[in-house]
Amino acid sequence: MIIEDILKEDNFSFTENTTYRCGGNARVAYFPETEEQAVAVYDYVADNKIDFVTLGNGSNVLASDKFFDGAVISTKNFTGIKRTDRGTIVCLAGTTVGSILSFCITNGFGGLEYLAGIPATIGGLAYMNGGADEKYIERNVVNVRLYDGKISELSNKNCHFGHKYSTMRDINGLILSVELKITQKSSEEIIDDIKRRVRQRGSLPTGASCGCVFKNPNNTSAGKLIDEAGLKGLKLGGAAVSERHANFIINYGNRASDVRKLIEEVRRKVFERTGIFLEEEVIYIGDF
């Protein structure tokens, strides 16, 4: 595989490719479309000792305003779903939640409706053990196909899923695909469940954000702690704590540094009041 045959973009914009809609540019981004191309890109950046980040839908990241002198491996075009004879489906890493649910509706596959409305790819969900309403993707993952110089098949057990955590976070590798277990269900039931879930998410804040910023500590919610600290509406530059949901920080400006500083300020104030150190879910790209 020749790296020049793979789609690439110089001066890649994080502002245009993340849900926070801020951040600087990266030197280059590659857009593999197949497993072979994804492996080739990984080998190229690894062999040439190029710093790299993997980016799916950009929904849980905050990129620095500074130039990232490295490569982005974008999974935007690395998509596809196939069914197996094991009662599962296999999704390439860049496949979005919306695409997976559409496939499930068409084929009568249930069990993933809780993901409705999450603006993420399956690779990102597996990486973060993402989900909603105390339901996380670990409940459906059969295995994760990973490349870090060699291809590995990580079983659910070997993913070591935890609260917004998987072992993939500790491996400088590239998720290639995720196998998910599903159940047989009528398309009508699936659609009804998806509509119900989307209605529930309708109360969440709108605007440029990464969703919930902080993980929930044991036996309480980060949003409740932030709210009780009187921080709803707190502003710093072009960033503000949402008035609707205190665990959302909305970007109204164009500086990632404002968002990062506000995250630190919220953490500091909650710690001063409660002694609880809030740990963020958001993944940082570049130097702040």
Side-chain angles (χ1 to χ4, degrees):
M1 174 61 64
I2 302 174
I3 193 72
E4 286 77 13
D5 293 337
I6 298 170
L7 180 67
K8 76 170 187 174
E9 177 183 329
D10 294 322
N11 209 31
F12 176 86
S13 168
F14 287 110
T15 295
E16 295 176 2
N17 289 282
T18 63
T19 59
Y20 250 133
R21 298 203 285 273
C22 59
N25 289 7
R27 175 159 38 110
V28 65
Y30 293 96
F31 300 85
E33 298 180 10
T34 65
E35 182 175 288
E36 182 184 18
Q37 288 188 351
V39 166
V41 171
Y42 181 95
D43 285 342
Y44 175 78
V45 297
D47 291 346
N48 289 279
K49 296 180 171 54
I50 299 170
D51 287 338
F52 76 94
V53 294
T54 304
L55 193 68
N57 211 40
S59 59
N60 207 45
V61 300
L62 179 66
S64 169
D65 299 313
K66 300 175 183 177
F67 181 73
F68 180 68
D69 189 20
V72 173
I73 302 178
S74 171
T75 62
K76 182 182 294 186
N77 297 337
F78 188 31
T79 63
I81 311 170
K82 65 179 181 181
R83 58 195 301 178
T84 74
D85 57 6
R86 301 182 296 277
T88 64
I89 58 175
V90 175
C91 308
L92 294 180
T95 310
T96 63
V97 166
S99 296
I100 294 171
L101 291 179
S102 293
F103 183 86
C104 288
I105 290 170
T106 300
N107 292 278
F109 296 154
L112 295 168
E113 296 89 335
Y114 65 95
L115 299 175
I118 299 177
T121 62
I122 192 60
L125 283 174
Y127 183 84
M128 289 290 297
N129 192 22
D133 288 343
E134 303 304 318
K135 296 178 182 177
Y136 302 102
I137 196 64
E138 66 177 293
R139 63 190 280 153
N140 291 96
V141 170
V142 176
N143 66 61
V144 173
R145 188 171 171 87
L146 181 80
Y147 185 73
D148 64 346
K150 64 182 184 304
I151 289 180
S152 303
E153 298 274 356
L154 299 179
S155 67
N156 183 294
K157 179 180 178 180
N158 289 332
C159 287
H160 300 293
F161 288 116
H163 183 51
K164 300 302 174 71
Y165 171 82
S166 78
T167 197
M168 287 80 77
R169 295 193 64 168
D170 299 327
I171 301 172
N172 192 31
L174 182 63
I175 293 175
L176 300 174
S177 62
V178 181
E179 183 176 1
L180 302 169
K181 62 182 178 182
I182 41 83
T183 58
Q184 294 298 317
K185 196 171 184 179
S186 74
S187 297
E188 292 75 15
E189 288 180 286
I190 297 169
I191 291 171
D192 287 344
D193 287 345
I194 289 173
K195 286 181 177 178
R196 187 180 307 112
R197 177 64 194 140
V198 170
R199 284 197 299 271
Q200 291 171 347
R201 288 183 64 85
S203 62
L204 294 177
T206 57
S209 80
C210 72
C212 288
V213 172
F214 297 102
K215 298 178 182 179
N216 289 328
N218 291 335
N219 304 316
T220 188
S221 78
K224 183 172 183 289
L225 294 174
I226 298 167
D227 190 4
E228 290 175 346
L231 301 179
K232 274 187 174 179
L234 179 67
K235 295 181 179 179
L236 197 163
V241 178
S242 171
E243 295 275 10
R244 186 181 294 183
H245 191 310
N247 202 10
F248 278 60
I249 289 179
I250 311 298
N251 170 41
Y252 295 99
N254 57 13
R255 293 192 300 271
S257 58
D258 288 347
V259 178
R260 178 65 184 268
K261 289 174 183 176
L262 185 55
I263 289 172
E264 296 296 340
E265 181 68 2
V266 168
R267 191 203 330 265
R268 183 184 68 81
K269 287 181 177 294
V270 169
F271 183 77
E272 286 180 351
R273 183 176 185 275
T274 67
I276 296 173
F277 183 86
L278 293 178
E279 181 182 354
E280 58 264 55
E281 295 182 16
V282 62
I283 295 171
Y284 298 113
I285 296 176
D287 298 322
F288 281 84

